[in-house]
Structures are given as C-alpha cells and as structure tokens.
Amino acid sequence: MEIEVLSTSGKSVAVLSNVNPTMTIAEIKKEIQKNNGMSIHRQSIRLEAKGQSLKDEESVKNLGLRSGSKIYVRDLGPQIGWKTVFLAEYAGPLVVYLWIYQRPWLFYGDAGRTAPIDQVVHMAAICYAIHYVKRLLETIFVHRFSKATMPFFNLFKNCSYYWLFTAYVAYHVNHPKYTAPSVAWIYGGLALFVISELGNLSIHIALRNLRPPGTKVRRIPVPTGNPFTLLFNFVSCPNYTYEFGSWVGFTIMTSCLPAGLFALAGMYQMSIWALGKHKAYKKEFPNYPKSRKAILPFVL
C-alpha cells in the first residue's frame, strides 16, 4: 500500500511505500521521519488539512486509508520535553523565593538587614520550599506524561508565570514592613496548607497507578484506600482542588494579597484545564459518574 503525505499547505512531504493496514499513526510518523527528517514529536497527522490531529494508536485500517490515500502533516515547530519544562518551572520558584527570603539589599536596601523577622515569615519560606520540592520530586518519580513534548515556547511562558509570580509574592511576605496576622490565622492557614499538600500528593499517586508504565491507558479515576482520594467522588480533578486549597491556606497564613492573587490566577487556569478534562472523561466513558463536578464539589 502506498500513501502520500502532504503538508497542510498542500506541498508533498513524502510518499510512503509498503504501508500495511495494521500500521499505527505512531509508526507512520516514524516512516515520515525516515523519509523527510521531521522529528516524530513535531508531527501532527490528520486526514484533512484543517482536520483534527489523529491519535498515535489509531491504525491505517480503522481510519479507512487505502493505497493512493493522502494524509496531512502539520509541523508543530521546535519541541521540548514535558519533564524538562516542569523541572525548570518548578526549580525557579524555589531559588527565587529562598533568595528573596534572605532580604537581599537589591530589594530592600539597608532596612532588610536591621528589621526583625516574624516567625510566620520563616514558616512561609518553609511551606513554599516544601511545595516546590514536592513538585520537583513528583516530576521525577511520580508523573507519567501522556505526551513526550510540548512547544518550546511554553518553556518561557510557563517559567515567566511561576518565577515572576513567586518574586511578587516573596517580595511582600519578606518585606521589612510586613505585618503578621493573628496566631489563629497563621495556624489555621498552615493546617489547610498541609492537608492540601498531602491530598495533592495522594491524588497524583492515585493517577499514576491508573496508567501502566509506557502506556497511554485511560481509566475512570476512583477513590483508593487513601482517604484523601475520596474527593474523586465529587470532582474529576481533585489534584487541582487540593492545589487551590494549598494556596488558599498559604494566603490565610500570610494574609498577603499577592499570595491571594496567585491563588486566584492558578484557580482560573486550573478551572479551564479541569473543565476540559471533565468534558473528555464524559465523552470517553459513557458510564462516567454524572454527579461529579470538574474542580469544586457541587459548584464547578
């Protein structure tokens, strides 16, 4: 079987010979790479120039392709590994926050050396560091990515968001004129932060166990023996729910407006992701629990 590969502009990219009906889109990508040199990670294969990207596991036979058929490939541009981006975007806040925590002269002048430091400032630095160390360790040992790469530009976009917001929050929490809230607010916020961090980790581990190594298998996530995973009974993306809870806790603990803005910005973005995943779950699984919301129980 022979299939011609065209660019989305209609230019011939390659002619693939000896294609058999059992070949998958992933294998087609490898053949295109051999013929054209375009990395498999830069390829988006589709049946029409403006059609949807085909999944790697779809086969030539199931797609109805025959000898003489044409498929289209879109060049996604330079790519970078998901893990690399995650490590960069999470390592940055850890370094930035702990640097500003030391009250460098560059930010605070001589006042940074003489003004007393409240206990909650130290607690906030520890919490911030724990959060991003956890994220780094999860990236290395827990997360299983369904896609190998993302557009290279995302490295700068993601890092800018995390690094600059961290500087904004850290500058105010560590400012010589920062005023600590009451003890009740500090420890109430700390309790919410700790509970949410444990919940977030528990959900990530549960999601990891849903997907066997080296596969793209998708299953309906359900509670495990870990009580933190009971939130799966109410929302599709409890990892985002707990993430938001962590930053609400940090905001209460520090009573810092920039921390609250960071929590709200994160909630806005995570809500978009959660709604998309919730919609995908319902579309893929006919028996998906109808009572579940996307990210906030009974609300959203």
Side-chain angles (χ1 to χ4, degrees), residues 116-300:
I117 302 176
D118 197 279
Q119 184 65 28
V120 69
V121 174
H122 299 304
M123 294 167 61
I126 293 171
C127 288
Y128 214 94
I130 286 174
H131 179 80
Y132 282 101
V133 167
K134 179 182 80 70
R135 282 195 169 192
L136 288 168
L137 293 175
E138 286 175 337
T139 299
I140 297 171
F141 300 109
V142 177
H143 293 323
R144 287 176 178 155
F145 301 100
S146 58
K147 295 182 179 179
T149 64
M150 67 171 73
F152 185 74
F153 173 75
N154 284 10
L155 174 66
F156 304 99
K157 181 179 67 175
N158 293 15
C159 287
S160 296
Y161 170 78
Y162 282 103
W163 296 19
L164 293 178
F165 238 131
T166 291
Y168 181 45
V169 173
Y171 174 81
H172 287 83
V173 174
N174 295 286
H175 200 283
K177 294 184 179 181
Y178 168 76
T179 302
S182 67
V183 172
W185 279 82
I186 292 173
Y187 285 99
L190 177 62
L192 178 58
F193 179 86
V194 171
I195 291 171
S196 296
E197 287 292 292
L198 291 173
N200 182 262
L201 174 61
S202 299
I203 298 300
H204 285 160
I205 291 174
L207 291 174
R208 169 191 169 85
N209 293 336
L210 277 178
R211 176 176 294 162
T215 72
K216 295 183 180 180
V217 172
R218 285 170 56 85
R219 302 188 183 114
I220 298 177
V222 294
T224 65
N226 185 330
F228 285 108
T229 64
L230 289 174
L231 202 52
F232 273 126
N233 288 326
F234 305 98
V235 294
S236 295
C237 302
N239 50 322
Y240 296 153
T241 312
Y242 282 124
E243 177 80 9
F244 180 57
S246 290
W247 292 116
V248 169
F250 187 88
T251 300
I252 294 172
M253 180 177 68
T254 59
S255 293
C256 178
L257 178 59
L261 294 177
F262 180 56
L264 290 175
M267 181 59 180
Y268 172 76
Q269 181 60 69
M270 289 187 293
S271 294
I272 294 174
W273 292 335
L275 288 168
K277 292 183 178 182
H278 184 65
K279 182 179 180 181
Y281 277 136
K282 291 195 295 183
K283 182 179 180 180
E284 184 173 358
F285 302 108
N287 60 332
Y288 194 74
K290 295 181 179 180
S291 60
R292 285 189 191 180
K293 294 296 184 179
I295 186 170
L296 292 179
F298 314 114
V299 179
L300 181 65

Side-chain angles (χ1 to χ4, degrees), residues 21-189:
T22 61
M23 288 182 69
T24 62
I25 291 299
E27 292 171 318
I28 292 290
K29 287 181 177 180
K30 292 178 181 178
E31 291 300 314
I32 294 174
Q33 180 172 297
K34 290 179 184 178
N35 281 265
N36 181 268
M38 185 189 301
S39 169
I40 60 173
H41 301 301
R42 294 181 64 143
Q43 299 176 36
S44 171
I45 308 295
R46 48 202 62 192
L47 296 178
E48 301 291 339
K50 295 183 179 180
Q52 292 186 339
S53 184
L54 300 174
K55 296 180 179 179
D56 283 351
E57 56 269 23
E58 293 191 85
S59 69
V60 169
K61 180 180 180 180
N62 290 340
L63 293 170
L65 296 174
R66 299 178 177 83
S67 186
S69 293
K70 296 179 180 180
I71 58 174
Y72 296 82
V73 58
R74 179 187 173 191
D75 186 350
L76 298 175
Q79 300 287 297
I80 187 171
W82 274 78
K83 181 174 288 189
T84 302
V85 174
F86 273 33
L87 291 175
E89 68 186 37
Y90 297 154
L94 185 62
V95 174
V96 170
Y97 196 99
L98 293 180
W99 173 47
I100 298 178
Y101 166 65
Q102 299 175 60
R103 289 185 172 178
W105 181 88
L106 178 65
F107 286 98
Y108 306 118
D110 294 332
R113 300 178 181 177
T114 58
I117 302 176
D118 197 279
Q119 184 65 28
V120 69
V121 174
H122 299 304
M123 294 167 61
I126 293 171
C127 288
Y128 214 94
I130 286 174
H131 179 80
Y132 282 101
V133 167
K134 179 182 80 70
R135 282 195 169 192
L136 288 168
L137 293 175
E138 286 175 337
T139 299
I140 297 171
F141 300 109
V142 177
H143 293 323
R144 287 176 178 155
F145 301 100
S146 58
K147 295 182 179 179
T149 64
M150 67 171 73
F152 185 74
F153 173 75
N154 284 10
L155 174 66
F156 304 99
K157 181 179 67 175
N158 293 15
C159 287
S160 296
Y161 170 78
Y162 282 103
W163 296 19
L164 293 178
F165 238 131
T166 291
Y168 181 45
V169 173
Y171 174 81
H172 287 83
V173 174
N174 295 286
H175 200 283
K177 294 184 179 181
Y178 168 76
T179 302
S182 67
V183 172
W185 279 82
I186 292 173
Y187 285 99

